[in-house]
Amino acid sequence: ATASIQSLGGALDEKEKKIACLKERLQENRSRLASLEDIQRNYEGCQEGVRAIMLKKQQAASPNGIYGLVAEVIEAPEHYEKALTAVLGDRLQYVIVKGHQEGVEAIEYLKHQASGRSSFIPLELSRITRKELPQGEAEVIAPMMDVISVKEGYHDVAEYLLSDVVVVRDLQAGLSLWNRNGYYSTLVTTEGEVIDPMGIVTGGSGAPLEASFLAQRRRIRDLSQNLAALETRLPQEEQESAQLKQELEQAETQKTLLTAESHRLEIERVRLELEKSSAER
C-alpha cells in the first residue's frame, strides 16, 4: 500500500505540474492572440489613408460598399508568404469596394479629412485578361493562384492581381526562364525576389516577414488553433488529475484500514498470549 501511495503521489505531482504548465501556456497564447487581434483590428502599420477608411468602416452600421483589404481575403502557406508579400507589395493594402462609385466616395472622404491616400479595387472586375503561363518549364514551381487560398466571393480580385504570377525555384532559374521564353509573366521566388514582365528584378532585404499583415493573420490562425487544442487538453488533464486524487485517497483509506486491522490483530495476539500464560500458571 505504501509503494502504491508513493507511486500515485508521484504521478499526481507530475500531473499537477503539467496542468500548471498548460494554464501558463494558455494565458500566454491568449495574451499574444489578443495583442495581434488588436493590432489587426486597428490596422496598425497600414498606410494612413487605408487606416482611416477601414476605421470609418468599423464605425458604420453597414459596410457601405467597403469590404476590406486585399490582405484580408488572400492567404498563402508560410512557405509562400514572402513570395506573395513581395509580388503584391502595396497592393496588399488596396481596399476592396463594391464598385468605382464607392471608391470615389472614399477618396472624397480622405480629401476632406486630410487623411492620406488609398487605392480602391472594385469587387467585380470586367477587364481580367487570362494569360498563358509557363507551367511546364523546369524552373517553375507553380502558378501563384495554385498555392494561395482566397476568401469566398473574392476570386476575381485575386485573379486580377495574381493570374500572371508564377513561382520559380530561385532567382537564377527565374532569369533563365525570362531570357528564353516569350511569356508575359511575373516571376517570383519563395525568398521574395521578383522579375516583372519587362525583366526588372527586385530583391534584397526588407522588413521582417513577421511584421507583415499576412504573417500576423497567419499567427492569429495558428494561435487560435493552438488555443483550441490547449482548451480541449486542459479539462482532460484535470479529469485525469481528479482520477489520480481519487485513487490516492482510496489507497490512503485502504492503508488506514489495514493499519487499524493490523493494530487490532496485534492487540488480539498479545491478549491471547497473556491468556495462555495465565492458564499455564
Side-chain angles (χ1 to χ4, degrees):
T2 301
S4 175
I5 288 170
Q6 288 176 340
S7 175
L8 285 168
L12 183 58
D13 285 344
E14 287 299 313
K15 185 65 69 176
E16 287 179 343
K17 286 177 185 175
K18 187 180 288 186
I19 288 170
C21 182
L22 276 174
K23 287 180 176 178
E24 186 177 343
R25 285 172 60 193
L26 264 169
Q27 186 55 42
E28 287 175 357
N29 281 10
R30 282 176 182 146
S31 177
R32 287 166 60 198
L33 180 60
S35 177
L36 280 171
E37 286 177 334
D38 193 50
I39 288 170
Q40 294 252 301
R41 189 165 42 249
N42 290 307
Y43 293 90
E44 293 176 23
C46 290
Q47 297 162 7
E48 182 188 2
V50 172
R51 190 163 184 260
I53 291 297
M54 295 313 298
L55 292 180
K56 179 176 182 291
K57 171 186 177 290
Q58 287 181 357
Q59 295 162 6
S62 61
N64 292 328
I66 295 172
Y67 300 115
L69 305 187
V70 168
E72 294 179 295
V73 303
I74 299 177
E75 296 174 1
E78 186 175 359
H79 180 64
Y80 293 105
E81 258 178 29
K82 283 184 180 179
L84 184 59
T85 302
V87 84
L88 285 180
D90 288 344
R91 292 181 295 175
L92 282 166
Q93 293 190 38
Y94 279 11
V95 179
I96 303 169
V97 292
K98 184 178 180 182
H100 283 131
Q101 184 56 39
E102 286 75 15
V104 170
E105 290 170 4
I107 288 169
E108 288 300 315
Y109 171 79
L110 292 176
K111 283 166 69 176
H112 292 136
Q113 297 295 320
S115 297
R117 295 169 65 85
S118 181
S119 296
F120 301 89
I121 182 168
L123 181 60
E124 295 180 3
L125 297 139
S126 59
R127 296 183 183 177
I128 298 175
T129 55
R130 291 169 176 80
K131 303 174 181 122
E132 189 179 359
L133 300 177
Q135 297 192 54
E137 305 288 349
E139 295 87 352
V140 171
I141 295 175
M144 180 64 80
M145 286 296 295
D146 288 0
V147 300
I148 64 168
S149 56
V150 182
K151 190 174 179 179
E152 187 176 352
Y154 295 92
H155 189 270
D156 280 359
V157 171
E159 192 161 287
Y160 176 76
L161 295 170
L162 298 168
S163 62
D164 74 319
V165 180
V166 176
V167 184
V168 293
R169 287 189 287 106
D170 52 43
L171 185 56
Q172 281 303 126
L175 289 170
S176 174
L177 179 61
W178 187 88
N179 276 298
R180 79 165 187 273
N181 79 55
Y183 291 107
Y184 192 82
S185 303
T186 298
L187 310 177
V188 62
T189 71
T190 55
E191 290 301 308
E193 295 138 339
V194 181
I195 307 167
D196 83 352
M198 302 302 293
I200 298 171
V201 180
T202 305
S205 62
L209 185 63
E210 288 305 305
S212 75
F213 205 87
L214 285 176
Q216 287 173 355
R217 289 180 65 77
R218 169 178 49 80
R219 288 170 66 201
I220 286 172
R221 292 194 302 273
D222 291 347
L223 281 169
S224 297
Q225 290 172 358
N226 289 343
L227 270 173
L230 289 171
E231 285 167 349
T232 300
R233 187 177 164 194
L234 181 60
Q236 294 172 348
E237 295 287 353
E238 287 176 332
Q239 186 177 359
E240 289 175 14
S241 175
Q243 179 66 30
L244 283 170
K245 283 178 184 175
Q246 185 179 3
E247 290 176 11
L248 182 59
E249 287 170 2
Q250 289 172 348
E252 287 174 337
T253 300
Q254 186 67 22
K255 181 183 177 184
T256 301
L257 291 172
L258 287 171
T259 301
E261 179 65 11
S262 175
H263 184 61
R264 187 190 68 76
L265 289 172
E266 179 63 20
I267 291 172
E268 181 68 13
R269 184 186 66 78
V270 170
R271 186 183 67 77
L272 289 170
E273 285 182 354
L274 287 171
E275 288 177 356
K276 182 181 178 183
S277 176
S278 296
E280 287 174 349
R281 277 197 232 104

